[in-house]
Amino acid sequence: MEQQKLPNEIAIIVLSIFGIICCWCFGLGIIPAVIALVLALKSQRIYKEKPELYSNFKTINIGKILAIIGIVLSVYYIGSVIYQISTIGWDGIMEQQREMMEQWGIEE
C-alpha cells in the first residue's frame, strides 16, 4: 500500500514561519501561528487514526513546533509592549523612539 501525505503540510510550514517572522510586527504573528497550530493538530488526529497510511508526520511535527514558537514570541512581544505602556506610558515610549531616531540620524 502506498503511503499518502497528510493534508495541509505546506500550509502549516508556511504559516508557522510567517508567524515567527511577523511576531515583532505588533504581535500579529500570533494569527498565522494559531492557524498553523490548529491545522497541525487536525493532521495529527488524522495520523493517529491510521499511522501506517501517512509518510510526512515529521514535517507536521516541525510545523507544530514552529507554530508554538511563533505564538510564544508573539505573546512575549505583546506582553512587553503592555508592560512598557503600563510603566513608562505612551508618551515615554514616543520620547524613546524620538531619541533613538535622533541618534541614528533620522529626522522627522
Side-chain angles (χ1 to χ4, degrees):
M1 182 185 303
E2 188 175 325
Q3 289 188 325
Q4 304 171 12
K5 292 197 177 274
L6 286 164
N8 302 319
E9 172 187 19
I10 295 174
I12 292 168
I13 294 293
V14 169
L15 286 169
S16 298
I17 292 172
F18 193 65
I20 291 172
I21 292 171
C22 292
C23 68
W24 307 116
C25 301
F26 307 107
L28 293 177
I30 199 166
I31 297 167
V34 167
I35 294 170
L37 184 61
V38 168
L39 291 174
L41 292 174
K42 284 182 183 179
S43 292
Q44 279 186 332
R45 264 188 257 124
I46 292 170
Y47 176 80
K48 286 180 182 178
E49 290 173 6
K50 294 184 181 177
E52 66 277 354
L53 292 179
Y54 303 103
S55 64
N56 61 340
F57 185 67
K58 287 183 180 181
T59 309
I60 300 298
N61 268 345
I62 291 169
K64 182 176 126 182
I65 291 167
L66 291 174
I68 292 169
I69 291 170
I71 292 169
V72 168
L73 290 174
S74 294
V75 167
Y76 172 76
Y77 181 79
I78 292 169
S80 67
V81 168
I82 291 171
Y83 176 75
Q84 285 181 344
I85 291 173
S86 67
T87 56
I88 63 175
W90 188 255
D91 293 333
I93 293 172
M94 297 306 287
E95 181 64 26
Q96 284 179 349
Q97 287 182 348
R98 188 188 60 75
E99 290 173 4
M100 286 176 24
M101 290 173 66
E102 287 177 359
Q103 289 176 353
W104 292 341
I106 302 171
E107 300 193 23
E108 295 180 8

